[in-house]
Every structure is written in structure tokens, then in C-alpha cells.
């Protein structure tokens, strides 16, 4: 099993997570920026020109909070490679210059400027570096924060948690595989790491292997290229506990699935524990081979449900204890009430207010929290409905609300109706047919026509464009 140590303080966030750097509070201080600058300068000397050019050049400092230095790269592939090969040393280099830095977090910031040529190089270089790449660096690192101790149990995750504990505590294999599924940011990875840590504590002789499905696939493809599939097979089949995170990533990748299926069967035959996570139940995973899909459902399938208020409150409370910062209950309640999408965002929101308080040296209050999280909350709060749009538009043009649904074609009602359809398309997630239905059962082509018409008119007529803008602001403001 991967050893604890500095390696575990190097973590990488999933690319599905959108990182918001607009918050000034996360911006690195001048000191941190200069530390990073000088470390960056030394990278070339430390790792050599080729490695620097292929991998490290695009590293960009993004944020620094709580001793975590966040740097970005443009692709997930680079993130993984840097994470396993260079991150540990880079962190050491940073720590030598600033003892306050404790962790290095690599995030993927899509759309980062990086030329096509450079993009291709890493793949090539990966190939060339294969000899150097230690073949036992197959596993993904474990996050030392993700333990059973720090996992808050509530109704939505009780089953998955109980199953995870069973796996750790049983002397035999209780169910095979344990399949944990749930939406993004709800604690699947946390639970898997917790199992790995706990088994490591309890039975250090056991070989526990945790890796993302992507990494499994990458390793497999690498082995294929190097004509090394035998070693690959043997290696995987020698582990006691195999955990594959986010199995949905191998959907549609037939040869990887095939290999995984064989590895899976071989391990099950030897009575070795397998733990899988996915974003959906086995039956809902599309692009998976039927044999594999049914095999995955053989053991215990445990879901993690979307969080409840109680669980979210419990989590922010636990976080507060752990950070040992003074945060009033009212703030925790507010967070648990408002940040409902997933636990990762909830933690992000809490980190943000703590970082803000540290920088501003002001206590955390409900008011400061609302202010700091303004942008985040706005996007959560405001869900504009078509009814609202119709009402506002009718009001603005001084027509009857019923005219939004009526068949009248007179210009003075038809145009506002088109404006409302246009805004409905722009401001809601409704489809054209859905919008059509809301406007007296009109066809989706009518809606499309309206959208085009208004686009055209706003391009031609500035005062009309301004009118539309005024309504939009009234709706979104
Ligand atoms: P997933 O793998 O399901 O996308 P993660 O396991 O990465 O989600 O969880 C996202 C974040 O939320 C992590 O920082 C994790 O520690 C935290 N988290 C999720 N569930 C819990 C929980 N029940 N208790 C404490 N922290 C949690
Ligand atoms: Mg995960």
C-alpha cells in the first residue's frame, strides 16, 4: 500500500471540479508569489530541461490558503503525471523556502494557454520516460485527510459507510465486490481512502492498491505499448485488496474493460477483496460490457444519496473542530442551508470564509460570510422560472399576462411574447419544446424562430436591445 509521508500531502483535484479563482481572498500573497517564482526558476535545474519543457513549464500558481499551495496545469493527464513523479519534490522545494507551505495541490484549469505542440509532447515524453518510471508507482496516492475519523456519517451515506467498515473489520471477504456509487463530491473517494488507511493500520502485511479507473486504463495502455502486459497482470493479481475509483471512466473503452474483467475474475477467484466506485449504479452504467456490468452487481451495491441538511451541518461542524477556528453556529447553519450541491463545494465555501477571515483579520460573522460567498450563493439561489419571465415581460410592455399564452398575433403582443421566449431560452435550462408548451402549447420551431428574431433585432436596434437588457437585469439582479 502506498506509504504515508509527504507524498500524501500532494493531492490532485478532479477535473470535473470548476475552480473559482475570482475570489480575491484566495489570491496568493506577495511572499508566496515570490517563493513560487524562485522555485519555478529552479525546476529546470532540478529536473532537467526535457522534463521541464514537457511537464513543468505550464505550472501556474493559482492560490494559497491554509498552507496549501494550489498550482494548475492544463490537462488531467499532466496533473496525474506530475502528481506521481514530481509533485513530492516540488513540495519539498517550496517548503525549504517557506515553512508555512504544507501541501501542494494540483488542479486542472481548462482553457489554460498552452500550444498544441506542447500538448502533444507529454504523450511522447511519457513513452520515452517509461524506463525511468518506476513500475510500482502504479497506485494513486492516498489523501491523509480522508480517514474514517474525519468521515461524518448520516442517513445519506450510512449504508456505504457500514459496508466500508465491514470490509475493514471482516477477517474474510464479506461481499465481492463492494460497489459504492453516488453523485460527484459526495464522499466516494473519501470512503475508499479511509478503507485503505484502515486496512493499512490493521493489517500492514496486506497489499492494498487504490487507483482511479483512468489510471488503471493508463497503466494498461502503457503496458501494452511496452509489451509488458504479463508483468501488469501479475502485478494486479498479486494484490490483496484492489480499489478502482470512478469506474465510469472505462465505459466505452473495450480493451481496458476486457483486461479489468479478467483481473477482476482472477482476484475474486483468489478470494481477494475488490472495491469499486462509480457515479451510477451498475445497471445504469452505459458503455459497459454486459458481463462486467452484471459481475459488478454481484456483491454489495451501496449508494451515497445526496446530502441532507443534518449531514451538511454535521460536516461543517466537524470541519470547524478540525480547523479550530472560531465560527458561530449561525454561519454553519447558513452554509448547510445554502450550499447544497455537494460536500466538496460546502468545504470549499467554508475554506473560503476562513481564508478571508485570516487575511482580513476580522472575525467570521454571518454578514461577512454572506458577503464573501455572494457570487457562489447567487448562482445557487437564483433559479429564474418561465412564469417570472412572462410576468416581467408583460409588465414591461404593459400587456396582459394571458397574452403570453394566447393565439393573438398582433404585433404589440407577438413581439413581447417573442422577447419572453428569447429570455426563457437564455435564462433557464428549459428546452425549446418545454418553452413552447409554456407559451400556450406552441411548437419548438416557433420558439426557435422567436429566439432568432430577437437576436436579429437586438443587433439592429439599439433601443430595443436596451429594452431587453433592462428586463434581463430586472430578472437576474
Ligand atoms: P466523490 O469521490 O464522491 O466525488 P470525495 O470523496 O472526493 O467525493 O468528497 C469530496 C469532499 O467532501 C472531500 O473533501 C471529502 O473529504 C468531503 N466529504 C464528503 N463526504 C464527507 C463526509 N461524510 N464527511 C466528511 N467529509 C466528507
Ligand atoms: Mg471521487
Amino acid at each position: 500500500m502506498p506509504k504515508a509521508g509527504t507524498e500524501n500531502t500532494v493531492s490532485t483535484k478532479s477535473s470535473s471540479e470548476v475552480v473559482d479563482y475570482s475570489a480575491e481572498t484566495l489570491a496568493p500573497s506577495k511572499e508566496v508569489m515570490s517563493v513560487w517564482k524562485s522555485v519555478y526558476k529552479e525546476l529546470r535545474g532540478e529536473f532537467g530541461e526535457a522534463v521541464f519543457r514537457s511537464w513543468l513549464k505550464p505550472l501556474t500558481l493559482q492560490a494559497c490558503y491554509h498552507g496549501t499551495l494550489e498550482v494548475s496545469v492544463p490537462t488531467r493527464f499532466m496533473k496525474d503525471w506530475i502528481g506521481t513523479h514530481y509533485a513530492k519534490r516540488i513540495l519539498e522545494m517550496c517548503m525549504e523556502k517557506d515553512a508555512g507551505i504544507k501541501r501542494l495541490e494540483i488542479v486542472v484549469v481548462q482553457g489554460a494557454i498552452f500550444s498544441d505542440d506542447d500538448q502533444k509532447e507529454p504523450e511522447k515524453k511519457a513513452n520515452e520516460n517509461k524506463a525511468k518510471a518506476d513500475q510500482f508507482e502504479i497506485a494513486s496516492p492516498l489523501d491523509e485527510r480522508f480517514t474514517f475519523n474525519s468521515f461524518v456519517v448520516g442517513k445519506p451515506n450510512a449504508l456505504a459507510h457500514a459496508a466500508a467498515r465491514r470490509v475493514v473489520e471482516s477477517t474474510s471477504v464479506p461481499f465481492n465486490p463492494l460497489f459504492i456509487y453516488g453523485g460527484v463530491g459526495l464522499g466516494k473517494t473519501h470512503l475508499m481512502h479511509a478503507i485503505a488507511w484502515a486496512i493499512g493500520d490493521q493489517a500492514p502485511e496486506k497489499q492494498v492498491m487504490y487507483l482511479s479507473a483512468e489510471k488503471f486504463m493508463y497503466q494498461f495502455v502503457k503496458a501494452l505499448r511496452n509489451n509488458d502486459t504479463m508483468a501488469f497482470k501479475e502485478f494486479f493479481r498479486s494484490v490483496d485488496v484492489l480499489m478502482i475509483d470512478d469506474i465510469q471512466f472505462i465505459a466505452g473503452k473495450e480493451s481496458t474493460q476486457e483486461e479489468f474483467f479478467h483481473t477482476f475474475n482472477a482476484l475474486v477467484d483468489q478470494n481477494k477483496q475488490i472495491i469499486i466506485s462509480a457515479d451510477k449504479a451498475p445497471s445504469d452504467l452505459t458503455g459497459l460490457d454486459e458481463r462486467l456490468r452484471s459481475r459488478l452487481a454481484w456483491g454489495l451495491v451501496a449508494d451515497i444519496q445526496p446530502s441532507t441538511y443534518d449531514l451538511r451541518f454535521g460536516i461543517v461542524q466537524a470541519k470547524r473542530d478540525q480547523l479550530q477556528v472560531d465560527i458561530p453556529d449561525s454561519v454553519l447553519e447558513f452554509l448547510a442551508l445554502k450550499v447544497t450541491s455537494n460536500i466538496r463545494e460546502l468545504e470549499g465555501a467554508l475554506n473560503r470564509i476562513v481564508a478571508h477571515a485570516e487575511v482580513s483579520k476580522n472575525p467570521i460573522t454571518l454578514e461577512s460570510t454572506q458577503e464573501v460567498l455572494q457570487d457562489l450563493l447567487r448562482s445557487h439561489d437564483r433559479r429564474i422560472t418561465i412564469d417570472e419571465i412572462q410576468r416581467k415581460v408583460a409588465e414591461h410592455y404593459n400587456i396582459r399576462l394571458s397574452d403570453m399564452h394566447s393565439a393573438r398575433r398582433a404585433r404589440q403582443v407577438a413581439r413581447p411574447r417573442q422577447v419572453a421566449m428569447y429570455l426563457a431560452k437564455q435564462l433557464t435550462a428549459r428546452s425549446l419544446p418545454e418553452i413552447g408548451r409554456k407559451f400556450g402549447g406552441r411548437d419548438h420551431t416557433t420558439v426557435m424562430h422567436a429566439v432568432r428574431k430577437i437576436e436579429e433585432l437586438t443587433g439592429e436596434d439599439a433601443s430595443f436591445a436596451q429594452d431587453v437588457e433592462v428586463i434581463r437585469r430586472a430578472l437576474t439582479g
Side-chain angles (χ1 to χ4, degrees), residues 188-189 245-246 344:
K188 301 181 295 294
T189 299
D245 204 353
D246 289 321
R344 194 175 291 139

Side-chain angles (χ1 to χ4, degrees), residues 35 46 171 221 289:
V35 166
E46 178 77 26
T171 41
V221 171
D289 176 71

Side-chain angles (χ1 to χ4, degrees), residues 170-209:
S170 300
T171 41
S172 60
V173 174
F175 17 71
N176 224 356
L178 166 58
F179 188 100
I180 300 173
Y181 77 92
V184 72
L186 296 183
K188 301 181 295 294
T189 299
H190 187 140
L191 260 188
M192 290 181 110
H193 287 205
I195 296 172
W197 286 123
I199 295 178
D201 280 349
Q202 227 166 280
E205 74 284 358
K206 276 194 182 162
Q207 269 268 3
V208 181
M209 161 105 9

Side-chain angles (χ1 to χ4, degrees), residues 145-146 150-154 157 182-191 245-246 304 311 315 342-344 347:
R145 294 166 303 178
F146 293 176
S150 63
F151 191 83
V152 180
V153 185
N157 58 29
V184 72
L186 296 183
K188 301 181 295 294
T189 299
H190 187 140
L191 260 188
D245 204 353
D246 289 321
I304 301 187
L311 178 61
I315 288 171
N342 68 52
I343 311 300
R344 194 175 291 139
E347 283 187 336

